[in-house]
Amino acid sequence: MEAVLALVIGVLGGAAVWLVLRPRTFQVLLGLALFSYAVNLFIFSMGSLFIGKPPIVAAELAPDLEHYTDPMPQALVLTAIVIGFATTALFLVVLLAARGLSGTDHVDGTKEQR
Amino acid sequence: MSVEMPLWAQLVVALLLVCSGLLVLISATGLVLLQDFFQRMHPPAIAYTLGSWCVALAGMVCFSVIESGPALHPGLISILLAFSVPVTTVLLARASLFRRRAAGIEGTPPPLSAPAGSASEVESPVASRP
Amino acid sequence: MILRRIVPAPLQSALLFALWLVLARSLSPGQILLGLALALLLPRLTAPLRVRARLRRPLRFLRYVATVARDVLSSNLQVASGIVAWPWRRPRSRFVIIPLELRDPVGLAVLAMVTTIVPGTVWSEIALDRSRLLLHVWDVNEEEAFIQRFKARYEQPLREIFE
Amino acid sequence: MKPELAHLIVVPIVLPLLVTALLLLLGARRRRLGSLIHVGAALANLLVALEILRRIHADGLPGAVKVYLAGNWPAHFGIVLVADRLSALMLVLTGVVGLAAAVYSSAAWGRVSVFFFPLFQIQLMGLNGAFLTGDLFNLFVFFEVLLAASYGLQLHGSGRSRVRAGLHYIAVNLLASALFLVGLAILYGILGTLSMADIALKVPRVPQSDRGLLHAGAAILAVAFFTKAAMWPLGSWLVPAYRTASAPVGAIFALMTKVGVYTLLRLSTLLFSSSAGPSAHLGGAVLLYGGLSTIGFGALGLMASLRLGRIAGFSILVSSGTLLAAIGVGEASVTSAALYYLLSATLAASALFLLVELVERAASGEESPLRYAQLELDEDTNLDDAEAALVGRDIPVSLALLGLAFMACVLIVSGLPPLSGFVAKLQLMMALFNPGGAQVAHEPTAVTWCFCGLLLLSGLSATVSLSRAGIQQVWSTADHPARRWKVVEVAPVLALISAAGWLTLSAEPVLHYTRAAAEALYDPRGYVEAVLSTKPVPGPASGAGEEEAP
Amino acid sequence: MSSLLSGACTFALGSYAVASVVVVARLIGGPRAQDRVLALDLLYLHGMLAMLVLGIRYQSDIYFEGALLIALFGFVSSSALAKFLLRGEVME
Amino acid sequence: MPLAGLLLLPFIGSLLSAILPTRARTVLAGWAGLVSTAAAAWVLLLFPRVKGGGVLRQEIEWLPSAGLNLILRVDGLAWMFALLVTVGGALICLYARYYMSPDDPVARFYSCFLAFMGAMLGLVLSGNLVQLVLFWELTSLVSFLLIGYWHHRVDARRGARMALSVTALGGLALLGGVIVLGHIVGSYELERILASGEQIRAHRLYPVALLLVLLGAFTKSAQVPFHIWLPRAMVAPTPASAYLHSATMVKAGVFLLARLWLVLSGTELWFWLVGGVGTLTLLLGAYIAMFQHDLKRVLAYSTISHLGLITLLLGLNSSLAAVAAVFHIMNHATFKASLFMAAGIVDHETGTRDIRRLSGLIHAMPITGALALVASASMAGVPLLNGFLSKEMFFAETVFLSSHPWLEVSLPIAATVAGVFAVVYSLRFGYDVFFGAATSRLPRKPEEPPRWMRIPIDLLVLICLVVGVAPARAIGPSLAAAAAPVVGGELPEYDLALWHGFNAPFVMSLIAIAGGVLLHRLLRRAQRQGRFNEVPLLARVNGRRAFESLLVGLTRLSRAALRVVATRRLQPQMFAIIAVAVLLGSASFRGLPLTWGHRERLPASPAFALFWGIGMACALGVAISGKFHRVVALILMSGAGLVTCLTFAWFSAPDLALTQLVVEVVTTMLFLLGLRWLPMRLEEAHRSVGLRTTGRRARDLMLALATGCGLSALSYALLTRPAPQSISPFFLHRALPEGGGANVVNVMLVDFRALDTIGEITVLGAVALTVFALLRRFRPPAESIDRPHQQQALPADVVTDLVNPRATDDIGRGYLMVPAIISRWLLPVALLVAVHLLLRGHNEPGGGFVAGLIVAVALIMQYLVFGTHWVEARVKLLPLRWIGAGLLLAVMTGLGALAAGYPFLTTHTLHATLPVIGEVHLPSATFFDLGVFAVVVGATLLILTALAHQSVRAHRRPGARGQRSSAAEAS
Ligand code: NA
Ligand code: NA
């Protein structure tokens, strides 16, 4: 399963990079959003992944990494998700403003430049 | 995980789960198989209703047995679904009607609200989004 | 009247209270107290957006729910078998226009929910004056019979309940 | 530290946030009160920073470090705020520039949008936090805080070119932030900790099989900082973004690349110190050559620019490159000089950004500098034939002050005597030629020559370009009737210049300080020990004292 | 966890996964936007069902809230999409 | 008395004059003159102490740790220059009082003037090379201000800029040279450096140091090819020219050469470089001077020539020549200053400086004429004047040089030729202006200037005469004192006599004078015929033009270069960042190969493999459809988001799953709101894709692949490694007992890492504010100002159920009837769920973030079905208040700990036993989470509603068609 997860992260990241390098603002936006998925999964995969061992401590289990998954990456990802959402929103609005002001959705605000 | 369920409960839960799996498979198959969009709107209802009811029931049985008390919360999901799914369906069907009329697709009924005689709610077929 | 002021929407409050207990998965005094507080508070907070409707015949409504549940089961099987049999037998799907007598928006909303959760019918369009409903039906033999059955089974009870 | 003032370290973070909340709750109605709070908070921020610096310096120890355990959790578990000499210095710099920009902005900028002041305060909070934090992920968060505010500030006022530049600025920074996270995640995956001090302890013990990954993580992390520090070729975003920003924003932005530089300095000395085993001095060459090429790039840009705004932007690039290269050299003496340079360059660049706006306000409607460049070649007036009279013109006091301030900026930016820019470059070159002090024989390497040559060359190109633009845009301003500049606009400029002047006069104590800061950086044991040995306050909330090894 | 239950869970999860793959064919293939919206809605449902089954599989309540949220809010995205298709703007 | 006083005197004077009334010219001139005179007197009084080789020294601490202190040091050379500077200054002040127009606000002039004097004094008194550089640049700067004094004149601005650019170049080079010298010697102190001549000349870096120092000296002293700035600097007011460009600033270069002569000279390199440049400058300057028509330019080029002469003398590696150089420095200062002042008087009285227009002025101003004639004779090297003496010494040096044979011949010839030229330009200045027929075609009628204006010239010319007649008596001791330090204290044998016999130098002088007179006649005749009005051979060479071309060329070149190394386009920037990351990332594995770990692998789950396959398909789909099919891309992205969410759920991260899910919903809503304003892109049917585009796409694809592979490899490597010795067990251990919560992730957010959370909500708030501010000024694209095509497609007169909620108050109509009722039913449910998740968050999955997002989504859903107007007419949301209050609550919760003596954000738990409820634990973290909740609600609502408001605004915007048709729509 590790290989598949790694593959997912890679594909998300690769697709994001491709989009980020495109000349249309909306593509860049999509790319940045996809990249944040990739990054979030990447951070998440740094903790030792376990199934069915959420970091919600119960009295009967010893509080160690045998019985619970690593909470740290989760806390980091949680913060990253929210920040990612905020920045995505911001980029979207800036993109709209740029489209309105420059009359084109090219990232450089110039007309066709393929 | 510490509690082992009695066999009857296991059987019930397993049966419900298998049913749900099969129903969901069927509904998905229908979505791909059927040719017309409005026809395709029917199969998901299987998954929304019986497909999820089975799982919810399985959950209720399972957690009631484990916690040795009535666990109603999985059932909540089915109720909530009954409320939320119609919103999408109603809007989506209406949108589809509109788009089909705009694209001038055969077999789309005329708008209900327009007075008799005006065939379309749109002036001319507009280029619509894919 | 004082009770009315404290509990402006008793049904809503009751449902919310029940919902809270189910969510909390506990019947501890604390949760009950909290649930009560929320059940009283939330309807107030959302008062400007509350749906004003009266459930005139609650028992009739419960029977109606049972009918729908039964129909859901049978329709599920019908549609599922229709899909499985699709390569051999195509369902006769078509649009059906149903003349409506039910005008209450809440009743109509319930009707929409019913058509949605019962497989085989899709609520497609309602006339602006709520006089006609466009349904897409999965498999219909005789249109008139279907209309009659639909009105009797789903619309008529709602008129009794809400109007 | 006296117990009653133990919380001083957290004030630079909490105060701006509190003010932000207040300003938001105050709403748009009470502008005057709002701008009063805004300026007052900036002043308080500076005072607190000064007090922190004073306390740290008063310790007199080589590795004076004050540690604050936010949340009362021991260092490598909770987030720890660390104020050492370097942090304190950056805090003070932030305080000075922040106050100047705040005063300047109180003139008119708040009126344009009610959100200017809150965003400004958030920016201050982000800067202070980034300089104080001792936790890698918290650093990311504070980076995001200062960036989020900077996006808003950069876009402040909207307009086509601004939004376009902002789009690029945001896109680039979002990408860099993503890389930051990737790098950070790898470091966590290998080391299992986020506390910088703890990382410094663990890096030498990383097994050989994991070291490649560790280096890759550090490299990706570094690329994020390179981008934020505008290292060539990752810094093309800077000039348009800074040029289009409004004046007080540009002034505070002058600090932002310095955050990247600060972080690189902090992390490279902490993680890859000489005691880091096989990873010692990792990436020094990249920093050095990247920095050098950035100086060259900045010098080119200066030469190519006619508009003051662009020139100010490129001068930031030059300073960024200089700092990066100086860090890349990896010698305490060079770093010490670089810190002095950082102070001087930041003050000058901030003043320049404020000036640009004042000048451009006066010179609006002037002929375009581009046409001016054309003109230069075309005509060749004989001295006698010039029509203008040989009688001087009056220069209003405000303009004279402004002109002098501009000149001072030119001097500092290009490193001409007698102001701090000269001292800084001199110190840098002296340190490069004699890293071990004047008495230690040392053969200058090609890099030394290259570095010094670029320093001088960039100075020259700054002189040429600033004098060209200055003559065109500042001097010709004198032809116009008196302009309306408010005292609150001119005063911050003069204050920043005076601060630079003070730096020159007090070069000895300042350099003494930076030397101590640099030496502590290159011997991070003090930092690590101080952080890891700080105990939580014992009490019911935190079972302190019974701290156990991870 | 008995092998019977875990087998049933695996079967259910597998069915959902296969069903989702089938649905994704519509999601990607369309042909029209309404098909994709419908497919997305269904995909969310499958996700919800998968969470519930995971809850049963690991006999843990923590998956329930996820499912609850999908049941409560899964429709918001698809309704917004549908409204967008119909009116060209989400909020008028 | 400390020397610092002498140095400070002019600076204090400068500051004072800046604040004196700006038109009080007599007061100002008097003040400046007083200061200069005092300084001059001070300097004069120092003579006895430096006469016998004594050195005065004062050290002021500046940067002791770096070995840099301000050292004021007076030896003979410094004394001589200080005298030139101060006495010259005093004379010029007097002159300027009359020269400057009464209308001129001269405070600035005197202020700069005195500042310049101070800088120059600082330069010559420097006992430390760094300090010398400091004052060196200061003179450049102040001279910039003086040259550009009349800054309203374009030539003044340009001249000033050119001077600054050239001398700044030199100054920076000099700084480099000084650094190298300091590196060689280990100190920047002049005395240590002067004592280390051998060491320096033998050092490997000597050539570098020499070149850099010479670059400084040559630019300052206007040596070819850096001479171009000097003629252009003549736009300065004449008093400034007389001061800066005769006696002081231009002498700084030769002063430096003399100062370091002991250390740097004596090598072949020195000889060729200094001598060569000097010779060239001598000849070229004199040559060009002959053909100038502007009096001041004649003087400027002659100054260049004389500076060349001095340089040449210093370059000859002979101590006698060095003495001659020092002597000529003094002589040149006297006659050139007086000539400048005379030129100023001519200009002042006649209104022109054009030699061609001036003639026979001797009749109108006989005394001035006489003085000018004497001074120009001195410049020409006529016997009985001081210029003759030093020139004779120069001729002698060229004759007695022992070097290559060809040089031994050609150098005297060159010197003689330069002498001839000097006579010619001197005649042009003296003869052409004052003799000949008096002309009446002048702008002003000339007459003698005020008597006091002439006094400085009187004095200087007197010095010329006295020195010329009785050199040994007049100047001997001073020269000896000044020259001794240059050559190291041991003066060579020389004889300051008027008559050395009929020797080769004398013959050369004679030839020069005779040849000069002859050449002048020829030139005069030719110029009358209209020839030789331009500099022959060099007419096309224009220094200024060359300089400007150089600058413009450099500017253009750097622009071209900038286009290569920088970009204003986004794509290359993004490419660079990713590429550098990939490159550096892979370079890290050089020598440390990437290996997979041995952690026990996760059990295989085909179901999840399939789900992940879906995720990948969706991601690829987004990449493909992002350009033309935005809605499709959006839908596919939701798919990828769902898979991410499932992954979180599967791998035991319920909190992440919840948050991701709601964020997903909000993001979709956000994108759709945005798409409303993003005009559609239609795929062109036959779009030809150029080769360049294909290439770029291939390149991007490669990078995308590389990044993907890199990320995969990294994550696989880390996934397969055993978990590191993590700090996490601590959190698991402490969460419940000390953090007061069982949900460790939540406890981390609100307790262990609460500072992160504070930052995070601040980010959210900042972004919301930014979005709101930006949207207030939002101008939609022209294409989408109108209502969307779906709405336009509806004819206004057709009755439809597709009602616009803006147009009707009764929302129970049309297609929205059912959604409206259901979403209103769901609102309290959603709020209840939000409260549920908020309250349980500390112990079970949930928390402020999710709860806040849920509330926001529930409210946004109301916007969706009812429209903005309807909702906002009924519910006051005030998102800004939510943000402010939330931030305040979070911070105040954190600050609460301070009151108890604990650090910021320390959690406290309230344990209480209530009557019915029983035991209650209320951690302060709950309030913190409540703050988080409020900020999230406020920020999300602010962002989304701000976007939603655009539709309302667009509706109101004039020109939008919505206005007209909406009424019809409603009917
Ligand atoms: Na149905
Ligand atoms: Na705590």
Side-chain angles (χ1 to χ4, degrees), chain D residues 70-73 541-542, chain F residues 738-739 747 750-752 903-908 924:
Chain D
N72 205 24
W73 295 105
S542 239
Chain F
E738 288 167 35
V747 176
V750 298
D751 192 345
F752 293 112
F904 185 57
L905 291 173
T906 306
T907 302
H908 289 268
S924 60

Side-chain angles (χ1 to χ4, degrees), chain B residues 41-42 45 89, chain C residues 112-123 136:
Chain B
M41 285 195 78
H42 295 284
T89 311
Chain C
M113 288 169 61
V114 168
T115 54
T116 304
I117 64 168
V118 174
T121 48
V122 172
W123 177 291
H136 189 267

Side-chain angles (χ1 to χ4, degrees), chain F residues 128 338 479 520:
Chain F
N128 180 318
S338 54
L479 179 62
H520 174 249

Side-chain angles (χ1 to χ4, degrees), chain F residues 518-819:
Chain F
L518 191 67
L519 190 58
H520 174 249
R521 294 250 137 200
L522 293 174
L523 183 66
R524 201 170 150 80
R525 188 176 304 158
Q527 284 185 334
R528 282 218 186 102
Q529 290 160 3
R531 288 179 288 136
F532 294 123
N533 278 318
E534 299 274 309
V535 187
L537 304 177
L538 297 176
R540 316 203 62 168
V541 181
N542 179 330
R544 188 192 74 85
R545 237 189 146 80
F547 173 77
E548 300 289 1
S549 309
L550 183 73
L551 275 194
V552 172
L554 267 178
T555 306
R556 296 220 170 112
L557 191 74
S558 27
R559 287 192 169 187
L562 214 55
R563 271 195 287 280
V564 177
V565 299
T567 174
R568 291 179 165 208
R569 296 176 44 224
L570 180 64
Q571 289 164 278
Q573 294 187 45
M574 302 294 256
F575 189 91
I577 293 172
I578 300 168
V580 170
V582 169
L583 272 179
L584 288 185
S586 11
S588 308
F589 294 104
R590 206 185 44 191
L592 298 162
L594 180 62
T595 53
W596 313 134
H598 308 290
R599 195 164 89 104
E600 196 188 338
R601 301 294 200 263
L602 289 162
S605 163
F608 267 90
L610 282 179
F611 272 120
W612 283 337
I614 291 169
M616 289 188 260
C618 286
L620 293 175
V622 175
I624 291 162
S625 58
K627 185 168 184 184
F628 297 109
H629 311 286
R630 291 176 182 145
V631 179
V632 177
L634 183 52
I635 294 172
L636 289 170
M637 204 154 83
S638 284
L642 182 71
V643 172
T644 311
C645 170
L646 282 178
T647 310
F648 290 147
W650 193 40
F651 287 123
S652 322
D655 280 286
L656 291 187
L658 294 182
T659 313
Q660 177 75 45
L661 202 70
V662 196
V663 163
E664 206 52 54
V665 172
V666 180
T667 308
T668 308
M669 193 72 99
L670 189 77
F671 274 47
L672 284 174
L673 283 169
L675 280 181
R676 157 70 180 85
W677 301 108
L678 217 52
M680 218 190 310
R681 285 196 75 78
L682 291 178
E683 202 164 2
E684 297 130 61
H686 300 288
R687 206 162 42 82
S688 60
V689 175
L691 201 63
R692 269 185 70 186
T693 310
T694 316
R696 211 181 50 223
R697 285 186 187 162
R699 192 194 64 186
D700 292 352
L701 190 65
M702 294 299 290
L703 187 62
L705 280 174
T707 315
C709 295
L711 271 178
S712 287
L714 284 173
S715 57
Y716 187 70
L718 284 155
L719 273 168
T720 52
R721 273 174 167 65
Q725 271 215 328
S726 165
I727 52 177
S728 298
F730 177 89
F731 303 126
L732 296 168
H733 212 256
R734 305 288 178 94
L736 198 51
E738 288 167 35
N743 182 357
V744 185
V745 174
N746 186 271
V747 176
M748 291 187 74
L749 286 181
V750 298
D751 192 345
F752 293 112
R753 303 190 64 88
L755 201 58
D756 279 351
T757 310
I758 289 234
E760 182 188 353
I761 56 178
T762 312
V763 170
L764 208 54
V767 165
L769 294 183
T770 305
V771 165
F772 189 49
L774 200 61
L775 285 176
R776 289 216 299 195
R777 297 177 149 224
F778 178 59
R779 195 144 44 91
E783 300 94 314
S784 52
I785 287 181
D786 242 344
R787 292 171 309 143
H789 67 84
Q790 287 96 329
Q791 297 180 32
Q792 287 179 37
L794 293 167
D797 53 345
V798 163
V799 179
T800 172
D801 62 325
L802 297 177
V803 294
N804 187 331
R806 266 199 306 275
T808 171
D809 220 28
D810 176 15
I811 40 76
R813 286 158 59 92
Y815 76 109
L816 282 170
M817 180 184 68
V818 174

